[in-house]
PDB file of all heavy atoms in Angstrom:
ATOM      1  N   LYS M  46     -18.567  16.892   0.758  1.00 95.00           N
ATOM      2  CA  LYS M  46     -18.886  15.537   0.223  1.00 95.00           C
ATOM      3  C   LYS M  46     -20.451  15.382   0.110  1.00 95.00           C
ATOM      4  O   LYS M  46     -20.986  14.944  -0.768  1.00 95.00           O
ATOM      5  CB  LYS M  46     -18.271  14.627   1.202  1.00 95.00           C
ATOM      6  CG  LYS M  46     -17.723  13.258   0.474  1.00 95.00           C
ATOM      7  CD  LYS M  46     -17.228  12.320   1.497  1.00 95.00           C
ATOM      8  CE  LYS M  46     -16.379  12.923   2.613  1.00 95.00           C
ATOM      9  NZ  LYS M  46     -15.759  12.029   3.542  1.00 95.00           N
ATOM     10  N   GLY M  47     -21.053  15.850   1.194  1.00 96.00           N
ATOM     11  CA  GLY M  47     -22.463  15.577   1.346  1.00 96.00           C
ATOM     12  C   GLY M  47     -23.246  16.354   0.241  1.00 96.00           C
ATOM     13  O   GLY M  47     -24.384  15.997  -0.057  1.00 96.00           O
ATOM     14  N   SER M  48     -22.634  17.441  -0.261  1.00 97.00           N
ATOM     15  CA  SER M  48     -23.359  18.218  -1.270  1.00 97.00           C
ATOM     16  C   SER M  48     -23.642  17.492  -2.507  1.00 97.00           C
ATOM     17  O   SER M  48     -24.619  17.684  -3.232  1.00 97.00           O
ATOM     18  CB  SER M  48     -22.601  19.450  -1.617  1.00 97.00           C
ATOM     19  OG  SER M  48     -22.412  20.305  -0.486  1.00 97.00           O
ATOM     20  N   LEU M  49     -22.697  16.477  -2.803  1.00 97.00           N
ATOM     21  CA  LEU M  49     -22.954  15.668  -4.013  1.00 97.00           C
ATOM     22  C   LEU M  49     -24.340  15.047  -4.012  1.00 97.00           C
ATOM     23  O   LEU M  49     -24.875  14.815  -5.011  1.00 97.00           O
ATOM     24  CB  LEU M  49     -21.763  14.634  -4.136  1.00 97.00           C
ATOM     25  CG  LEU M  49     -20.404  15.228  -4.380  1.00 97.00           C
ATOM     26  CD1 LEU M  49     -19.385  13.989  -4.554  1.00 97.00           C
ATOM     27  CD2 LEU M  49     -20.392  15.985  -5.796  1.00 97.00           C
ATOM     28  N   PHE M  50     -24.666  14.570  -2.784  1.00 97.00           N
ATOM     29  CA  PHE M  50     -25.978  14.009  -2.723  1.00 97.00           C
ATOM     30  C   PHE M  50     -27.123  15.010  -2.766  1.00 97.00           C
ATOM     31  O   PHE M  50     -28.312  14.498  -2.698  1.00 97.00           O
ATOM     32  CB  PHE M  50     -26.031  13.100  -1.435  1.00 97.00           C
ATOM     33  CG  PHE M  50     -24.941  12.008  -1.565  1.00 97.00           C
ATOM     34  CD1 PHE M  50     -23.654  12.228  -1.223  1.00 97.00           C
ATOM     35  CD2 PHE M  50     -25.425  10.684  -2.009  1.00 97.00           C
ATOM     36  CE1 PHE M  50     -22.719  11.086  -1.285  1.00 97.00           C
ATOM     37  CE2 PHE M  50     -24.484   9.703  -2.173  1.00 97.00           C
ATOM     38  CZ  PHE M  50     -23.113   9.873  -1.874  1.00 97.00           C
ATOM     39  N   GLN M  51     -26.860  16.155  -2.757  1.00 97.00           N
ATOM     40  CA  GLN M  51     -27.987  17.146  -3.026  1.00 97.00           C
ATOM     41  C   GLN M  51     -28.247  17.279  -4.487  1.00 97.00           C
ATOM     42  O   GLN M  51     -29.252  17.702  -4.907  1.00 97.00           O
ATOM     43  CB  GLN M  51     -27.536  18.541  -2.559  1.00 97.00           C
ATOM     44  CG  GLN M  51     -27.149  18.574  -1.026  1.00 97.00           C
ATOM     45  CD  GLN M  51     -28.347  18.903  -0.146  1.00 97.00           C
ATOM     46  OE1 GLN M  51     -29.563  18.735  -0.488  1.00 97.00           O
ATOM     47  NE2 GLN M  51     -28.092  19.453   1.070  1.00 97.00           N
ATOM     48  N   TYR M  52     -27.155  16.894  -5.296  1.00 97.00           N
ATOM     49  CA  TYR M  52     -27.249  17.060  -6.712  1.00 97.00           C
ATOM     50  C   TYR M  52     -27.632  15.846  -7.496  1.00 97.00           C
ATOM     51  O   TYR M  52     -28.250  15.821  -8.501  1.00 97.00           O
ATOM     52  CB  TYR M  52     -25.988  17.626  -7.313  1.00 97.00           C
ATOM     53  CG  TYR M  52     -25.369  18.778  -6.516  1.00 97.00           C
ATOM     54  CD1 TYR M  52     -23.899  18.828  -6.244  1.00 97.00           C
ATOM     55  CD2 TYR M  52     -26.228  19.728  -5.976  1.00 97.00           C
ATOM     56  CE1 TYR M  52     -23.430  19.838  -5.581  1.00 97.00           C
ATOM     57  CE2 TYR M  52     -25.672  20.756  -5.312  1.00 97.00           C
ATOM     58  CZ  TYR M  52     -24.308  20.899  -5.099  1.00 97.00           C
ATOM     59  OH  TYR M  52     -23.779  21.865  -4.362  1.00 97.00           O
ATOM     60  N   PHE M  53     -27.211  14.734  -6.899  1.00 97.00           N
ATOM     61  CA  PHE M  53     -27.483  13.349  -7.550  1.00 97.00           C
ATOM     62  C   PHE M  53     -27.978  12.337  -6.542  1.00 97.00           C
ATOM     63  O   PHE M  53     -27.704  12.484  -5.355  1.00 97.00           O
ATOM     64  CB  PHE M  53     -26.182  12.892  -8.159  1.00 97.00           C
ATOM     65  CG  PHE M  53     -25.506  13.806  -9.135  1.00 97.00           C
ATOM     66  CD1 PHE M  53     -24.487  14.672  -8.723  1.00 97.00           C
ATOM     67  CD2 PHE M  53     -25.944  13.884 -10.440  1.00 97.00           C
ATOM     68  CE1 PHE M  53     -23.912  15.533  -9.642  1.00 97.00           C
ATOM     69  CE2 PHE M  53     -25.412  14.750 -11.383  1.00 97.00           C
ATOM     70  CZ  PHE M  53     -24.336  15.612 -10.932  1.00 97.00           C
ATOM     71  N   ASP M  54     -28.741  11.546  -7.018  1.00 96.00           N
ATOM     72  CA  ASP M  54     -29.376  10.379  -6.159  1.00 96.00           C
ATOM     73  C   ASP M  54     -28.248   9.548  -5.535  1.00 96.00           C
ATOM     74  O   ASP M  54     -28.267   9.329  -4.264  1.00 96.00           O
ATOM     75  CB  ASP M  54     -30.181   9.471  -6.965  1.00 96.00           C
ATOM     76  CG  ASP M  54     -31.519  10.193  -7.383  1.00 96.00           C
ATOM     77  OD1 ASP M  54     -31.842  11.303  -6.809  1.00 96.00           O
ATOM     78  OD2 ASP M  54     -32.194   9.667  -8.274  1.00 96.00           O
ATOM     79  N   ASP M  55     -27.337   9.228  -6.269  1.00 96.00           N
ATOM     80  CA  ASP M  55     -26.245   8.307  -5.792  1.00 96.00           C
ATOM     81  C   ASP M  55     -24.995   8.353  -6.734  1.00 96.00           C
ATOM     82  O   ASP M  55     -25.143   9.094  -7.734  1.00 96.00           O
ATOM     83  CB  ASP M  55     -26.725   6.868  -5.484  1.00 96.00           C
ATOM     84  CG  ASP M  55     -27.389   6.310  -6.718  1.00 96.00           C
ATOM     85  OD1 ASP M  55     -27.086   6.829  -7.879  1.00 96.00           O
ATOM     86  OD2 ASP M  55     -28.187   5.291  -6.570  1.00 96.00           O
ATOM     87  N   LYS M  56     -24.150   7.603  -6.462  1.00 97.00           N
ATOM     88  CA  LYS M  56     -22.885   7.591  -7.427  1.00 97.00           C
ATOM     89  C   LYS M  56     -23.307   7.236  -8.752  1.00 97.00           C
ATOM     90  O   LYS M  56     -22.824   7.964  -9.725  1.00 97.00           O
ATOM     91  CB  LYS M  56     -21.970   6.566  -6.720  1.00 97.00           C
ATOM     92  CG  LYS M  56     -20.511   6.656  -7.352  1.00 97.00           C
ATOM     93  CD  LYS M  56     -19.663   5.447  -6.903  1.00 97.00           C
ATOM     94  CE  LYS M  56     -18.211   5.607  -7.415  1.00 97.00           C
ATOM     95  NZ  LYS M  56     -17.457   4.361  -7.121  1.00 97.00           N
ATOM     96  N   LEU M  57     -24.058   6.234  -9.013  1.00 96.00           N
ATOM     97  CA  LEU M  57     -24.350   5.792 -10.345  1.00 96.00           C
ATOM     98  C   LEU M  57     -25.154   6.973 -11.116  1.00 96.00           C
ATOM     99  O   LEU M  57     -24.808   7.224 -12.317  1.00 96.00           O
ATOM    100  CB  LEU M  57     -25.172   4.541 -10.304  1.00 96.00           C
ATOM    101  CG  LEU M  57     -25.658   4.082 -11.705  1.00 96.00           C
ATOM    102  CD1 LEU M  57     -24.544   3.974 -12.639  1.00 96.00           C
ATOM    103  CD2 LEU M  57     -26.348   2.757 -11.551  1.00 96.00           C
TER     104      LEU M  57
END
Side-chain angles (χ1 to χ4, degrees):
Chain M
K46 216 182 322 183
S48 297
L49 290 179
F50 293 85
Q51 303 267 24
Y52 312 141
F53 304 97
D54 290 344
D55 54 20
K56 191 188 183 187
L57 177 52

